[in-house]
Amino acid sequence: MSRRTRRHITPLITVAGAAGAVLLSATAATAHVRVIGEVIPGKPATLQFRVPSELAEATTVRVTVDVPKDLMITSVPALDGWNQETLPGTGDKGTQLVWTAEAGHEIKPAQSETFQANVGPIPDRYSLTFNTEQTYSNGTSVAWNEKQTGAEEPEFPAPVLVVDPEASPPPGSADGAAQPGASESVPAPSVDAASPAQAASEESDSGSSAGLVAVIGAGVAVAAALATAVLRRRRAAQSGSHL
């Protein structure tokens, strides 16, 4: 299995608020929350959570990330203007990372912030899922925790970081299921059945061979005629000398 460094960027497509909330108009590139990391299974890594603020009338004041249970947090770099807490996991839940903005440092509309966490070692499996909650200043809370099970993304997809694309994806995931509209594989033709191109090529080869045989035959005939004429002239000359 390849152990080369892989860089993965996984987008979260949709942000939604409470009823009546107004979303900013944004392009796909700026509207996505992303989890980014250069990861190698069995090695430590630094993960980045890029969070845009998409409500037009509110700012983002808190970001909470649920870390998978089998992934250890080694340290969290300080971020100016934000207070950070690392809460230990309980039961079947892993560590929880919480960033809370100080006054004047909230993520303003149409802007984004990147939060980092040092982790390790990276589990050797297909992917890691980080359920994330984004809280706005108007009380709107967005929970990104829905799994994608088909071709279409859910309304609130959980951020997923692919670790090893060569591993088997989780059962029922979009990566493990056949995609609608995908082309079916076409079986290779039997070796006994010649394709039209092969038939044309064979016919052409056959024609070329027949033409070559005809040319050779014509040459042999001409050579035979010349030999006969020479022989007749010699016999005529010999007959004249005897008279």
Side-chain angles (χ1 to χ4, degrees), residues 186-205:
V186 179
S190 170
V191 294
D192 296 329
S195 65
Q198 290 174 328
S201 177
E202 292 175 359
E203 183 177 352
S204 176
D205 292 342

Side-chain angles (χ1 to χ4, degrees), residues 95-214:
T95 303
Q96 192 174 65
L97 302 177
V98 182
W99 286 273
T100 304
E102 298 176 358
H105 292 273
E106 304 90 344
I107 308 177
K108 296 178 175 58
Q111 296 184 0
S112 64
E113 185 62 82
T114 299
F115 305 89
Q116 294 188 351
N118 297 321
V119 301
I122 298 294
D124 189 0
R125 65 173 189 245
Y126 181 80
S127 63
L128 295 169
T129 300
F130 299 86
N131 292 334
T132 301
E133 184 176 23
Q134 182 177 10
T135 304
Y136 286 90
S137 57
N138 63 356
T140 300
S141 181
V142 181
W144 305 94
N145 57 9
E146 295 181 351
K147 295 181 180 180
Q148 182 171 341
T149 57
E152 295 184 1
E153 292 168 327
E155 186 175 5
F156 304 105
V160 177
L161 178 68
V162 176
V163 175
D164 187 358
E166 298 176 2
S168 299
S173 68
D175 298 283
Q179 299 297 324
S183 299
E184 296 182 0
S185 59
V186 179
S190 170
V191 294
D192 296 329
S195 65
Q198 290 174 328
S201 177
E202 292 175 359
E203 183 177 352
S204 176
D205 292 342
S206 178
S208 299
S209 299
L212 180 59
V213 171

